Structure formats: C-alpha cells, structure tokens
Amino acid sequence: MEADTRTEVVLLACGSFNPITNMHMRLFELARDYLHETGKYKVVKGIISPVGDGYQKKGLIEAYHRVAMAVLASESSDWVKVDPWESEQEEWVETAKVVRHHHEELLMSGQCKDEADHVKKGKKRKLGASEGGVSERLLNTAVPELKLLCGADLLESFGTPNPWKEEDITEIVGKYGLVCVTRSGSDAQRFIYQSDLLWKHKKNIHLVNEWITNDISATWIRRALRRAQSVKYLLPEPVLDYIQSHNLYSPDSEEKNADVILAPLQKHANLSK
C-alpha cells in the first residue's frame, strides 16, 4: 500500500455564528472537497471558533448561547468541532492572534504525540541543551497546516483598513493560508488582483466555487425570527430548537450594542491617538 503523501490540513472558521446556519457547516464540506480534489491535501479537522462578547457587534447575543448552538450544529459531523477559547476571552481578540493560538495548539499536540511515540518505542530521550529550546523543538515537529476558512465577505473586508492591520493580513495569508468559499455576486479573483498584498500571496489563497448556491445569511435568519417567520430547514434542527427554547433573537436583542463602537474600530481609534 502506498503511503499517503498529502499534506494534512486543519480548517479554522472564525466569526460571530449569530446564529450558526446550515451554510456555515456547508463551508467546511465545500472546502474539504476542494482541497481533497487537488490531490495535495488531506483535511483532518475543522474548528469553529465563535467570537467573544468583547467584539460588541450590534445584535450579538451572549457567547455561551452561540457556542452552545455551534456545538449542537457540529454534532452531526465527525470532523468539525467547536473550540470555545476565543469566546472565553474578556476582550476582543484579533483574528491573527486566534489563528496563531490554534497553530500553537497544533504544535503542542504534535510535540506530545512525538514524545508519546518515543515512549512507546522505548526511546524517550532526556531533554538537554543540545536539543534546543521548546519552541525550536516544536517548530521541528511535523503538524498539519492550519488554514483560515472564510466566505468572500471576509476576504473583501481585507480592503477596509480599520478592522484589519496590514501585518495581520500578511501573517494570516502569507504564513498560514486562506480557503475562501465564494458567494454569488462576489468576484474574489478580481479583489485579489486589485490588492498588491493579496496578489503577493495569491498562491496561499484557495478560492472555492460554490456551484450549488446557498445565500443563507445569519442576518436574514435573525430578521425572520424577529418577525416570527419560519426558518425551518435553514438551520440545523437542534439549533432551531435551542433558539425557540431560550427565546433568542427578539427586537430587543437586535438592539444590543447598538450604541457601542465595534471593538476593532475602538482599538484602531485608540492606536491612532
């Protein structure tokens, strides 16, 4: 049997997930199919990372509700899981730092596996100065690549200077890579062409065409819920049950943070002073 030489990949999706929809889950499936079809990659895990309350976006309900719904939505998947780390932070965390955190988690996991293998083989070594520091050993450990999974709207938001710092975009796209699932009406390829920064790292950006179009939007879902309209079959059934049992998404909840400046804009304003 030939060895599988494909590069292992972990897909990380960051966002509000307010609420998580069937389309959010479809992004993972579409991205995995695309990467597998290249013959170069093997997707081994998907991570859903809901943003914390510190993001302060208008209409953003409490993180524990959004995490709970994401967990319910991912129960039907054997490879997509929820990680609550970002949601548990008191202050908003830049996406680049979230990606960095999960990459470090992969490095640590790979190191633990590497050392466990040595134990099993009776070859556990004493760590000495000649083996270098922990960070050096971690970097030398083979781990899956981490790529940020997103829709075209996030990619195009790179063109807005306030939420994004150029160095963060460079780190996300240049060091880790991006898998972008395009929506109808967007022209991601043109956007990349028009950006010198994205064009420089275009080989690290994978554009996935969504041939079976699905324009489900969490914003539209919340609007329908506020108006007591059915959203059945647009959300995973357990998520819809959760929303109904907790009476989420009312006209009052949509006004939450209405008078608060979005955290990225606050941070940008403070740095500009």
Side-chain angles (χ1 to χ4, degrees):
M1 182 181 295
E2 294 185 5
D4 191 343
T5 59
R6 293 176 297 173
T7 301
E8 293 188 341
V9 172
V10 172
L11 295 171
L12 170 66
C14 300
S16 299
F17 301 102
N18 188 38
I20 192 167
T21 70
N22 286 335
M23 188 56 215
H24 288 128
M25 299 304 297
R26 280 291 297 161
L27 291 180
F28 283 97
E29 296 294 326
L30 291 165
R32 183 173 67 164
D33 282 349
Y34 167 86
L35 290 174
H36 284 184
E37 286 168 4
T38 66
K40 300 177 181 179
Y41 301 102
K42 177 184 179 182
V43 177
V44 295
K45 185 178 181 181
I47 302 173
I48 299 172
S49 179
V51 74
D53 294 333
Y55 189 50
Q56 298 185 321
K57 184 177 182 180
K58 182 179 180 292
L60 186 68
I61 66 168
E62 292 81 359
Y64 71 88
H65 280 312
R66 293 181 284 107
V67 169
M69 289 188 287
V71 170
L72 290 171
S74 62
E75 284 180 347
S76 61
S77 174
D78 60 358
W79 66 281
V80 179
K81 304 301 177 185
V82 179
D83 190 303
W85 179 83
E86 182 184 359
S87 71
E88 294 169 346
Q89 307 309 303
E90 291 186 6
E91 297 183 355
W92 169 70
V93 183
E94 293 98 325
T95 302
K97 291 183 179 178
V98 177
V99 177
R100 199 180 307 149
H101 163 80
H102 285 287
H103 183 245
E104 291 170 357
E105 289 288 302
L106 287 175
L107 290 174
M108 291 298 295
S109 177
Q111 174 66 15
C112 290
K113 182 178 182 300
D114 182 58
E115 292 187 355
D117 289 343
H118 280 292
V119 172
K120 290 179 180 178
K121 297 176 182 178
K123 298 180 180 179
K124 186 175 182 181
R125 299 165 296 176
K126 292 182 179 180
L127 299 178
S130 62
E131 292 188 62
V134 173
S135 60
E136 181 181 342
R137 287 187 289 107
L138 292 180
L139 288 173
N140 290 330
T141 302
V143 297
E145 290 186 3
L146 180 67
K147 297 185 184 299
L148 184 65
L149 172 64
C150 69
D153 51 347
L154 186 143
L155 176 70
E156 292 171 359
S157 75
F158 285 165
T160 306
N162 288 353
W164 295 99
K165 294 183 292 187
E166 186 171 307
E167 57 266 34
D168 284 357
I169 299 174
T170 300
E171 179 178 2
I172 291 171
V173 182
K175 181 177 179 179
Y176 301 106
L178 200 70
V179 181
C180 175
V181 179
T182 62
R183 280 187 171 184
S184 58
S186 65
D187 192 344
Q189 188 66 57
R190 176 182 291 274
F191 184 79
I192 294 170
Y193 175 76
Q194 292 174 339
S195 166
D196 288 340
L197 178 57
L198 295 180
W199 185 257
K200 179 181 178 181
H201 300 290
K202 63 182 183 296
K203 291 184 178 179
N204 284 347
I205 303 176
H206 302 270
L207 296 181
V208 183
N209 290 319
E210 182 192 354
W211 298 112
I212 304 175
T213 58
N214 189 333
D215 290 329
I216 297 175
S217 161
T219 302
W220 298 348
I221 294 290
R222 295 197 305 276
R223 181 182 298 126
L225 289 168
R226 292 197 306 272
R227 297 173 181 177
Q229 297 173 339
S230 173
V231 292
K232 193 175 179 65
Y233 308 120
L234 298 177
L235 306 174
E237 197 69 23
V239 173
L240 180 54
D241 291 342
Y242 185 94
I243 290 172
Q244 293 173 339
S245 65
H246 290 82
N247 297 314
L248 303 181
Y249 301 115
S250 65
D252 289 339
S253 70
E254 193 64 20
E255 291 306 309
K256 186 177 180 180
N257 297 324
D259 299 324
V260 180
I261 299 175
L262 196 66
L265 302 184
Q266 289 185 40
K267 194 160 191 173
H268 179 79
N270 291 333
L271 291 173
S272 300
K273 291 181 181 179

